[in-house]
Amino acid sequence: MCTSGPVYTKYTTEGGVGDYSLLIDDDENHTAYCIHKRTGQAPKPFGHRMLIEQIDAAYEHSTNATLGVFGAPFVEAPVMIKRKGIYYAIFGKCCCFCSSGSGAGVYTSRQPLGPYTYQLNIGCATEPASGCGCGGTPGTKDPNSSCAAMPAVTKAQQNFVIEIPAQNGEVC
């Protein structure tokens, strides 16, 4: 189930995209979905926003079936997984490998193209304000939003692994 080349999404030429993650579903067609962010060059208000697109059977191009942008603004580093019939989209606020760490917002849906519902932020010491993440220097404001900086439990996002307990206490 591998592609030999790049995956071209609907938005490749319109403002750019980045930070891809590919999910190949366990359905009978092995349908593929790409979650990625629009770059800062995308038309406002789409810059640094997350979206999900369905990918064709050859895993090369978008089918143009898309959820559109969703979730918190100014985000990066997505992953999309499916567990026990639930689709998860997980991503954090932009901080480009910030040494103070970053949160990871968790969104869930029963359908791969949504709609997705925000659940919680698993990387922050406390739940951040709506649309905010964590990380940065406590007592300061994020220069790209009105969010206050707050502690992250992830330390540095590029080299730290956290356990994610489910509501029943099981570690995922």
Side-chain angles (χ1 to χ4, degrees):
M1 297 291 178
C2 294
T3 179
S4 60
V7 173
Y8 296 97
T9 69
K10 179 178 179 180
Y11 301 101
T12 300
T13 59
E14 185 193 275
V17 295
D19 292 359
Y20 291 86
S21 180
L22 189 68
L23 168 76
I24 299 176
D25 207 339
D26 59 359
D27 63 7
E28 66 181 52
N29 297 319
H30 303 287
T31 308
Y33 299 92
C34 181
I35 183 172
H36 59 86
K37 76 170 189 172
R38 303 289 306 275
T39 67
Q41 288 75 44
K44 301 294 181 206
F46 304 112
H48 295 289
R49 296 295 302 271
M50 209 54 64
L51 58 93
I52 298 172
E53 295 182 65
Q54 184 177 334
I55 304 302
D56 67 14
Y59 305 135
E60 294 178 342
H61 297 90
S62 174
T63 65
N64 292 325
T66 181
L67 167 62
V69 297
F70 74 103
F74 201 63
V75 292
E76 67 177 354
V79 65
M80 184 177 176
I81 61 174
K82 181 180 179 184
R83 184 170 189 267
K84 297 183 179 179
I86 305 290
Y87 294 88
Y88 293 81
I90 305 169
F91 45 89
K93 77 172 194 154
C94 290
C95 72
C96 196
F97 294 108
C98 57
S99 61
S100 61
S102 177
V106 178
Y107 299 80
T108 60
S109 176
R110 294 247 177 230
Q111 302 295 322
L113 293 177
Y116 279 79
T117 302
Y118 176 75
Q119 299 299 324
L120 75 162
N121 194 306
I122 58 174
C124 297
T126 59
E127 183 65 25
S130 177
C132 295
C134 57
T137 304
T140 64
K141 294 258 184 206
D142 183 326
N144 297 294
S145 71
S146 61
C147 299
M150 60 186 302
V153 297
T154 55
K155 311 300 184 242
Q157 68 180 175
Q158 70 270 28
N159 61 6
F160 194 81
V161 177
I162 60 173
E163 292 182 344
I164 305 169
Q167 287 182 342
N168 65 3
E170 175 186 2
V171 175
C172 303

